Amino acid sequence: MPSSPPLRAVQPRVEEPGRPVPPPSRDRGAAEPPLQAGDLVCGRCGSGNVPTRRYCRRCGASLADAPVVPKAPWWRRLFTRRAGRKPVAGERPPRRQWRRPRFVLPLLVLVALGAAGYAFRGEAGRAVEAVRDRTSKTEQVHATKVTASSARKQHPAALAVDGTTDKHWTPARPGAAEGEYLEATFAAPIRLLDLVVHPGSSPVAEKFLTQARPGSLSVTVTSSDGRTTVRTVRLADVPGPQRFHLPVSDAVRVRLTVRSTYGAGNERYLALAEVEFFKRR
């Protein structure tokens, strides 16, 4: 019968002091789990270890100087699915549940911010215009056309924008003149800022009191797109200019309608000496 091969004696490996020990060979059939953020990487075999370990789980080398796996950037973590905990021996694996993608919350926040910006775009635009109004200088603009609801022959509507205060516009009928109006048209749309009104027939107090004066005016500003802005201004019964802040964009026409009157009487006519308009430069 054939003889069996002779047995070979295996000599134990003795590590010499000062000589580096070669890393143990890896089993190619065993699958290594992927490295996770915070793992300690063994310097001998390259295996990942949880941060609480002091020695490598694979080769037993010390992990005192082992490098730590860095954390992935936030933008990469949004699209990376976090690995769940694996069941241990004897534990029934949990049911697989649907997980909400991690990028859904940031996406919802961006959508909410966009919707809020769209909803409040009007307020944002008005805030920007208000800042520009405060930081810009004003410039007087003259009307190219002036009309009135009625006027006396000696006191036409044009006298209210002639640049002087010793002549005035007067409606055709005496009395309170409620509903009478003066309308000015500009050559091009402007960013209207201020309106200056000189009530009465003269800046001199003695002449100022001889005729009726407007007490309140309804100011209707028409923009180039047909939109109207209505404000009511109340005037003091004193001679001289009175300024009102009326910011309106793309203004092309301004109408001043009399709502109340000082010193009205059957033989007294309403007098409006001058109206000035100021735009943003």
Side-chain angles (χ1 to χ4, degrees), residues 223-278:
S223 301
S224 57
D225 58 358
R227 179 174 47 89
T228 58
T229 303
V230 182
R231 290 275 301 276
T232 299
V233 297
R234 302 186 182 279
L235 294 90
D237 193 19
V238 294
Q242 300 182 38
R243 197 179 192 100
F244 304 94
H245 187 57
L246 301 173
V248 179
S249 295
D250 300 325
V252 294
R253 191 166 57 253
V254 179
R255 174 179 290 192
L256 286 75
T257 305
V258 180
R259 292 304 179 196
S260 64
T261 309
Y262 295 114
N266 294 332
E267 301 297 329
R268 296 165 67 89
Y269 290 86
L270 177 79
L272 184 58
E274 189 73 15
V275 180
E276 299 174 290
F277 306 96
F278 290 85

Side-chain angles (χ1 to χ4, degrees), residues 25-239:
S25 61
R26 293 190 180 183
D27 184 5
R28 298 182 180 273
E32 278 289 323
L35 297 177
Q36 302 292 332
D39 283 356
L40 300 177
V41 182
C42 177
R44 289 181 57 188
C45 66
S47 299
N49 298 268
V50 294
T52 56
R53 294 190 66 91
R54 300 178 60 185
Y55 298 95
C56 178
R57 60 177 175 79
R58 185 178 182 84
C59 67
S62 175
L63 299 176
D65 299 325
V68 181
V69 177
K71 201 172 184 179
W74 66 269
W75 53 267
R76 183 174 295 176
R77 296 198 302 271
L78 289 177
F79 302 96
T80 303
R81 190 169 183 177
R82 184 180 300 175
R85 185 180 67 87
K86 295 183 179 181
V88 298
E91 180 180 290
R92 177 177 297 180
R95 292 183 178 180
R96 187 165 186 175
Q97 299 178 353
W98 179 84
R99 292 187 177 182
R100 173 177 52 83
R102 302 185 65 188
F103 64 86
V104 169
L105 182 58
L107 182 62
L108 292 177
V109 172
L110 292 177
V111 171
L113 291 177
Y118 181 80
F120 295 97
R121 65 189 184 282
E123 287 74 5
R126 284 189 286 271
V128 172
E129 291 293 346
V131 172
R132 293 185 60 189
D133 291 344
R134 292 180 179 275
T135 57
S136 302
K137 296 182 179 180
T138 59
E139 180 182 5
Q140 186 174 1
V141 58
H142 300 280
T144 56
K145 179 182 177 182
V146 181
T147 57
S149 55
S150 67
R152 298 183 67 185
K153 185 176 181 180
Q154 302 86 349
H155 303 280
L159 295 180
V161 293
D162 62 349
T164 63
T165 57
D166 56 350
K167 299 178 182 180
H168 57 276
W169 163 66
T170 296
R173 294 176 296 276
E178 293 183 6
E180 298 281 357
Y181 65 84
L182 184 77
E183 186 173 271
T185 304
F186 308 114
I190 64 171
R191 170 65 179 179
L192 180 67
L193 291 185
D194 296 326
L195 172 70
V196 177
V197 180
H198 298 256
S201 59
S202 172
V204 181
E206 292 79 2
K207 295 183 179 180
F208 175 79
L209 297 175
T210 59
Q211 299 293 341
R213 292 83 57 194
S216 63
L217 298 171
S218 177
V219 183
T220 304
V221 184
T222 304
S223 301
S224 57
D225 58 358
R227 179 174 47 89
T228 58
T229 303
V230 182
R231 290 275 301 276
T232 299
V233 297
R234 302 186 182 279
L235 294 90
D237 193 19
V238 294

